[in-house]
Amino acid sequence: MTDKSTGTAPRKAGAGDVLRALGQRRVLITLLLGLGSGLPFLLTGATLSLWLAEGDVALSAIGFISWVGLAYSFKFVWAPVVDRFDVPLLGRLGRRRGWMLLSQLVVGGALIAMALIGPEGGLTALGIAALVTAFASATQDIAVDAWRIESADNDEDMALLTSAYQLGYRSAILAGNALILFFAAWFGWSGAYAIWGAAMAIAVGATLFAKEPVDRGEIAAATGGAAPWTPRGMFDAVVGPFINFVKTHRAAAFLMLAAISLYRLPDFVMGPMVGPFYIDLGLTKEAIGAMRLSVGLVAAFVGIAAGGLSAVRFGFGATLLIGALIGPMSNLGYTLMAMAGLSTPMFAGVLFVENFSEGFAGAALVAYMSSLTGIGYTATQYALLSSFYALLGKFLKGFSGVAVEGLEQGYSLMTAYALFFAGTALVGVPAVILCWILDRRNRRLKAELGVT
């Protein structure tokens, strides 16, 4: 089993075992649930920015509307409700499945609402629909993450389910980042968003065929058995996850939270400006989509595989450190693109590095955060960790458009973009330092415990 205080990597099955496991119903369901979690994510972020940029919306407005993504960062606020209460009517499916189904239905409906409104319907109305999408999507993440973690029988199982989830999630991210551009070219942005909303039926089907992982009695036993509506039950639902996390990991808990919160800050901050940069550089939707579906797809899957192999060979700490080092490279790549101008080979290289680093770090980070949770507090603790992962970045990215427009006052537009992307790369330095400290601590603890 993984030592939760050190975050050392679990032993994983061989390649043949993994391939055979992909035929298991539970693993396939996890993959499809990952697909459902990834489908709406960029549709309230970078892809929405691209839609708005084509509609000649001001960069500052694009940056501010990206704040709807803060719903993902504050999901720990309502995660205790998902952890302790059943959904009316749908709760008969089980606590996890009930919340999963409700949130998936709302995500699908809200995406279709965004399609019907569009920028021409007003940014306020579109922003509200995007906020509902993000809120429901964040709730889906809470329930799916809890289901995935609680469905694992051991650390090997956790690694397998996490890999399946990441495969589905990353595939959906690429679909929302690349494939949707072709649909937008064929059917318009509104048509593309409507199709993606209907595609949430895939996740709905997976939920209906899934099995509830943990009996309510087991959860009650782990949390003391207090009814959730009593003062003691409410206190434990809200405060218990934090107390349990700090008690388990002690002083390292705060180091873990700091490292996680800064880990992908460079990507978050530059995110809203990538779409507008492509448009200003002269790239078409078809060109962007084709490159993302070819080079981007290969790089993402290679990155996921490399991240998994690195975690097995070197442990999660070292893998997180490598990911923190290579992540900002894509930001610097965009700086070079802005300085050199339109270049297909350079575009391909930047996309490869970007998708490789995301795939590499993503699999290790998700498995690492999953290993830090405790039964009875799964949804809330994982929501806390994943919220810390995105909170600062999602707040700061709202100012990205203002930053580029400010730089444009003294420089040309492409130079402003180049300086902006270079600056976002520099904000990744603190994460590298924290991951190095965390990795050194993990190695020291392993040595003290005699773990090889």
Side-chain angles (χ1 to χ4, degrees):
M1 296 291 286
T2 297
D3 185 333
K4 293 189 176 185
S5 66
T6 64
T8 54
R11 180 179 62 83
K12 295 186 180 180
D17 296 325
V18 173
L19 290 175
R20 285 190 292 272
L22 290 176
Q24 296 177 10
R25 170 177 168 175
R26 183 179 50 158
V27 177
L28 288 175
I29 287 175
T30 304
L31 187 148
L32 295 177
L33 290 175
L35 192 71
S37 291
L39 275 175
F41 183 70
L42 288 180
L43 273 61
T44 58
T47 300
L48 178 59
S49 297
L50 192 58
W51 184 6
L52 296 177
E54 284 202 341
D56 293 325
V57 176
L59 291 179
S60 56
I62 294 175
F64 290 137
I65 204 170
S66 72
W67 272 340
V68 301
L70 283 170
Y72 292 96
S73 300
F74 285 103
K75 61 187 178 183
F76 66 89
V77 174
W78 65 92
V81 177
V82 179
D83 243 343
R84 299 301 176 86
F85 292 91
D86 294 337
V87 177
L89 299 179
L90 296 179
R92 68 184 63 183
L93 295 174
R95 184 167 300 169
R96 302 310 185 202
R97 295 172 67 220
W99 281 106
M100 285 157 57
L101 182 58
L102 175 64
S103 57
Q104 288 159 353
L105 292 173
V106 174
V107 167
L111 285 175
I112 293 174
M114 290 180 67
L116 295 174
I117 297 170
E120 61 276 6
L123 290 182
T124 299
L126 182 61
I128 291 174
L131 180 60
V132 173
T133 301
F135 180 82
S137 178
T139 303
Q140 178 188 203
D141 288 350
I142 294 170
V144 170
D145 286 329
W147 181 91
R148 171 179 55 82
I149 295 168
E150 292 173 351
S151 294
D153 296 326
N154 49 49
D155 282 354
E156 289 184 11
D157 211 26
M158 174 78 76
L160 179 61
L161 294 182
T162 297
S163 297
Y165 175 84
Q166 279 289 296
L167 181 60
Y169 186 85
R170 288 296 172 187
S171 296
I173 288 292
L174 283 171
N177 201 27
L179 186 61
I180 194 172
L181 301 182
F182 291 99
F183 281 80
W186 299 332
F187 308 111
W189 281 109
S190 293
Y193 266 65
I195 292 171
W196 256 242
M200 284 301 297
I202 297 173
V204 170
T207 296
L208 293 176
F209 282 99
K211 179 181 178 182
E212 189 69 8
V214 179
D215 182 81
R216 293 179 179 87
E218 186 177 347
I219 295 176
T223 57
W229 54 84
T230 64
R232 178 185 172 189
M234 287 187 288
F235 177 85
D236 187 63
V238 176
V239 182
F242 301 88
I243 295 176
N244 177 267
F245 183 80
V246 174
K247 184 182 296 184
T248 301
H249 304 291
R250 302 185 184 278
F254 302 100
L255 177 62
M256 293 170 180
L257 291 176
I260 290 170
S261 69
L262 298 175
Y263 193 65
R264 298 310 296 272
L265 191 59
D267 287 339
F268 279 119
V269 176
M270 81 165 182
M273 292 300 103
V274 171
F277 170 65
Y278 286 158
I279 299 300
D280 291 331
L281 195 62
L283 289 165
T284 64
K285 290 193 295 292
E286 293 85 350
I288 299 169
M291 193 67 75
R292 284 174 171 172
L293 283 175
S294 54
V295 174
L297 181 65
V298 172
F301 289 159
V302 171
I304 291 173
L309 291 173
S310 176
V312 171
R313 177 65 180 83
F314 305 110
F316 285 123
T319 302
L320 289 175
L321 177 58
I322 295 171
L325 285 168
I326 66 176
M329 296 300 177
S330 62
N331 301 59
L332 295 176
Y334 280 112
T335 295
L336 294 177
M337 281 182 64
M339 295 172 62
L342 190 58
S343 168
T344 299
M346 182 173 291
F347 183 28
V350 171
L351 271 186
F352 186 91
V353 173
E354 181 180 24
N355 285 276
F356 177 88
S357 64
E358 288 180 356
F360 184 97
L365 183 62
V366 168
Y368 175 66
M369 292 191 298
S370 299
S371 72
L372 301 178
T373 63
I375 190 68
Y377 305 103
T378 309
T380 305
Q381 287 183 340
Y382 192 87
L384 170 68
L385 294 171
S386 57
S387 294
F388 265 84
Y389 161 66
L391 179 59
L392 182 60
K394 285 186 177 293
F395 173 73
L396 291 178
K397 76 176 185 177
F399 298 103
S400 57
V402 174
V404 174
E405 288 180 343
L407 290 169
E408 193 181 358
Q409 299 302 313
Y411 303 93
S412 66
L413 179 58
M414 285 297 113
T415 301
Y417 274 125
L419 291 172
F420 169 75
F421 290 131
T424 61
L426 289 176
V427 301
V429 173
V432 174
I433 296 173
L434 287 174
C435 287
W436 177 74
I437 295 173
L438 186 59
D439 184 48
R440 281 179 59 87
R441 174 189 176 275
N442 291 342
R443 291 176 184 275
R444 185 178 66 254
L445 290 177
K446 287 170 62 178
E448 292 173 357
L449 295 171
V451 178
T452 57

